[in-house]
Each structure stands twice: as C-alpha cells, then as structure tokens.
Amino acid sequence: MPTPESEAFLAKKPTVPPTFDGVDYNDTPRLKAAQDSIIKEQWVKSMMNRLIRQELQKCYYWEGVNHLEKCGKLRERYFETLPDAKVKGYLFQQQNYIPGKDDPVGQDQVSAGLDRQADGVMATVPEKIAKEKGDDRL
C-alpha cells in the first residue's frame, strides 16, 4: 500500500512543466520554477538510466556466457535511455528558446534563427529574406 505524500514532499514537487513555453523571463519566480523543473526532469532520466545499468550489470554477472540471449531487453532499454542520461542544465535551452517551435526537454539542437552572411556579419533570417526580395523596410 503506497504511503500518502507528506506536505513537505508536495511543497517541493514541481508545479510547472519542464519547458520554457509561456514563461515570462521578467517573472523571476516562474522562471526559477521552470529551471528547477527542467533540472529535476533531467535528474530523473539520469537516475532511471543508472538503475537500468545496475540491473544490466547484475544480469551480465548472473547469466555469464548466456548474457547475449538473456539480457537483450535490458541492453536495448539501456541504449534507448543513454542519450538522456547526462544532466545538461537549462541555460542553452533558456537562451535559445523560440516560442511555439521548441519541444520540452530532450531536444538536442535548437535553431537560434541566425544565419551567417558571406561577409561574416550576423543577420536574422527575416532580414536576410527581406534583403533577397529587395525590401528595404527592415
């Protein structure tokens, strides 16, 4: 029978999803809550990977030479969770967030909407498109 969750546990439980979607960066408490939620989600994935790895080690030890046949499901599950095993933090995702485009935690690369021109000066994508069309309003 599961034990009821205490008041202290419920107070520390994150109430926001692990993403910066809809977070106003000037609202410090909501920003910190989103950051904490992202870090906690990454730690949960990391610890889950650690548990799977420990079970895989036990399986290899007990099965011996038959580990290729007997431990295949654990090995596949371990390799599926391996890319998310590292705690990466929230700064990259926070600084390169594009509203409506970015997925929650786990996306490896985020496009910042910047493109290099031939002369080495940074220009945003809308400015480059406007320049190609001959529109001088931007």
Side-chain angles (χ1 to χ4, degrees):
M1 181 163 153
T3 59
E5 295 176 340
S6 67
E7 295 294 326
F9 179 78
L10 291 175
K12 291 183 179 181
K13 205 172 191 181
T15 57
V16 296
T19 180
F20 288 109
D21 191 24
V23 174
D24 181 19
Y25 288 102
N26 294 327
D27 187 8
T28 305
R30 288 194 64 209
L31 179 64
K32 291 298 178 187
Q35 291 172 349
D36 289 344
S37 177
I38 288 171
I39 292 294
K40 287 177 183 179
E41 185 69 26
Q42 290 176 0
W43 270 104
V44 166
K45 289 180 181 179
S46 178
M47 293 298 113
M48 184 62 114
N49 185 279
R50 179 185 288 182
L51 290 173
I52 295 170
R53 183 178 64 235
Q54 289 173 351
E55 289 299 315
L56 185 62
Q57 288 173 343
K58 290 178 190 175
C59 184
Y60 277 9
Y61 178 77
W62 288 108
E63 297 301 332
V65 296
N66 295 328
H67 69 86
L68 291 174
E69 295 174 2
K70 305 286 183 173
C71 305
K73 290 181 181 178
L74 275 174
R75 184 176 55 246
E76 290 301 319
R77 188 165 177 207
Y78 177 70
F79 284 132
E80 288 172 3
T81 60
L82 197 57
D84 297 330
K86 185 176 180 185
V87 176
K88 299 173 185 170
Y90 57 82
L91 281 181
F92 180 80
Q93 188 178 8
Q94 178 180 338
Q95 293 171 352
N96 298 302
Y97 181 73
I98 300 173
K101 184 177 180 185
D102 292 338
D103 293 332
V105 175
Q107 184 176 7
D108 293 332
Q109 295 182 358
V110 176
S111 172
L114 297 175
D115 194 14
R116 289 209 178 267
Q117 291 180 345
D119 58 356
V121 178
M122 299 298 280
T124 61
V125 174
E127 290 173 356
K128 186 174 181 183
I129 292 171
K131 186 177 179 183
E132 290 175 356
K133 289 183 177 180
D135 191 4
D136 294 323
R137 290 184 287 169
L138 290 175

